[in-house]
Amino acid sequence: MRRMKPLVNFVATLILMLAIACHGSEHGVNFNIFPLRMKTGSGGHYIPDVSCLSWRVGVEAHNIIDWKTVPQECEGYIGNYMLGDQYRADSKMVCAQAYLYAKTLNLTRDGRDIWVFDIDETALSNLPYYAHHGFGVEPFDRESFNEWVPLGIAPALPESLKLYNKLLSLGIKIVFLTGRPDHQREITAKNLKNVGYHTWKKLITKDPSYVGKTAVTYESAERKKLEEKGYRIIGNIGDQWSDILGTNTGNRTFKLPDPVYYIS
């Protein structure tokens, strides 16, 4: 279990609010991501680190690749970004552009036009997990993450959920393509439905035959299978470059922000 990070002083409040949201979901209330902002420094205002801002831009532009964890000196900056307003604003911009593109399409409405959604940090947010375990410094802890996923309480990324509903209204079918393994399929489906993703054409999880292969290889192969079955991938959105690189990526791809981890 990774240590609680001292810089996230208000995490207890966040966890409490999320616990309330989770309890509320039992009564039909969707989960939420609360736009909280970490504050530090004189006057209670967070002072951004210019070098860390440049690091984040380098990550999102794919100029920095194959990194394992957020640099120690940037953990506070990344935590502030993810829990603050800017992450939400950046996500909103991506999803707005995706919808503007979708509205320009001449759709056939034969049920073959699909939009591929990644799940983690795209459809669902693991922000509560990272708020508790930290936003960097130590390598990703797969064991603790695999304890978090079966809880099935990851909230929706609000901007992605809005895009999902708008795409459905246009007659576009949704396919979820995730790196989560097959044994997490049932809880993932339940989690998606609980937070508002009520329907989809397919939910593709990773079967054991892909163990040891890169995410690019796995996702390219699964997208190829979709196209071989006659589906047209008109859009593709994910938080990782591996979601939108490779083959059969679709007519247009969209990259959501994620400076917390990197998957090749």
Side-chain angles (χ1 to χ4, degrees):
M1 181 68 69
R2 301 179 67 184
R3 61 186 176 84
M4 180 72 74
K5 306 299 181 180
L7 62 92
V8 196
N9 294 325
F10 63 91
V11 164
T13 302
L14 174 64
I15 299 298
L16 176 60
M17 294 175 74
L18 285 166
I20 294 172
C22 293
H23 176 73
S25 69
E26 298 174 359
H27 305 284
V29 180
N30 288 335
F31 296 111
N32 236 329
I33 294 179
F34 298 93
L36 301 180
R37 177 180 297 280
M38 293 197 294
K39 296 181 179 180
T40 186
S42 60
H45 298 289
Y46 183 80
I47 304 172
D49 186 318
V50 174
S51 64
C52 290
L53 172 58
S54 297
W55 181 84
R56 180 172 66 83
V57 171
V59 163
E60 297 298 357
H62 209 219
N63 291 322
I64 301 173
I65 63 174
D66 295 329
W67 52 280
K68 302 302 181 184
T69 188
V70 176
Q72 183 172 2
E73 63 272 20
C74 295
E75 185 185 14
Y77 168 80
I78 294 300
N80 180 75
Y81 169 75
M82 294 298 293
L83 292 171
D85 296 331
Q86 192 60 53
Y87 171 62
R88 290 286 302 277
D90 291 346
S91 300
K92 183 177 181 180
M93 176 62 75
V94 175
C95 292
Q97 292 301 310
Y99 179 56
L100 287 175
Y101 155 72
K103 288 198 302 181
T104 69
L105 300 175
N106 184 19
L107 301 173
T108 61
R109 296 192 179 268
D110 61 357
R112 294 291 177 174
D113 292 321
I114 63 172
W115 196 293
V116 175
F117 272 71
D118 173 50
I119 291 184
D120 291 300
E121 275 56 70
T122 300
L124 300 178
S125 171
N126 297 299
L127 192 55
Y129 169 85
Y130 289 105
H132 180 75
H133 290 272
F135 290 94
V137 182
E138 298 177 18
F140 179 71
D141 184 359
R142 174 61 62 182
E143 182 178 351
S144 65
F145 188 75
N146 282 336
E147 293 173 354
W148 154 258
V149 170
L151 297 177
I153 58 174
L157 184 63
E159 287 68 33
S160 295
L161 182 57
K162 291 175 185 176
L163 174 62
Y164 161 89
N165 284 315
K166 289 177 179 179
L167 294 176
L168 287 180
S169 72
L170 294 175
I172 299 171
K173 305 300 182 182
I174 305 300
V175 170
F176 289 110
L177 173 57
T178 177
R180 292 185 177 191
D182 281 348
H183 69 265
Q184 292 179 343
R185 178 186 176 86
E186 184 176 349
I187 190 61
T188 298
K190 182 178 180 181
N191 196 161
L192 287 168
K193 286 183 178 292
N194 283 345
V195 299
Y197 297 99
H198 52 82
T199 186
W200 50 80
K201 193 71 175 181
K202 290 181 179 292
L203 168 58
I204 303 171
T205 50
K206 194 173 185 179
D207 71 54
S209 68
Y210 289 109
V211 172
K213 297 181 180 179
T214 66
V216 171
T217 299
Y218 157 63
E219 296 191 28
S220 294
E222 291 299 324
R223 290 191 300 260
K224 182 179 180 181
K225 290 178 184 178
L226 289 169
E227 293 189 334
E228 288 175 343
K229 292 178 180 178
Y231 293 108
R232 294 178 293 272
I233 304 175
I234 59 174
N236 180 5
I237 188 168
D239 67 298
Q240 295 292 313
W241 280 95
S242 58
D243 296 325
I244 57 178
L245 293 177
T247 64
N248 307 86
T249 55
N251 293 354
R252 187 166 172 185
T253 61
F254 296 87
K255 169 72 169 63
L256 284 164
D258 186 359
V260 179
Y261 58 87
Y262 179 87
I263 297 176
S264 62

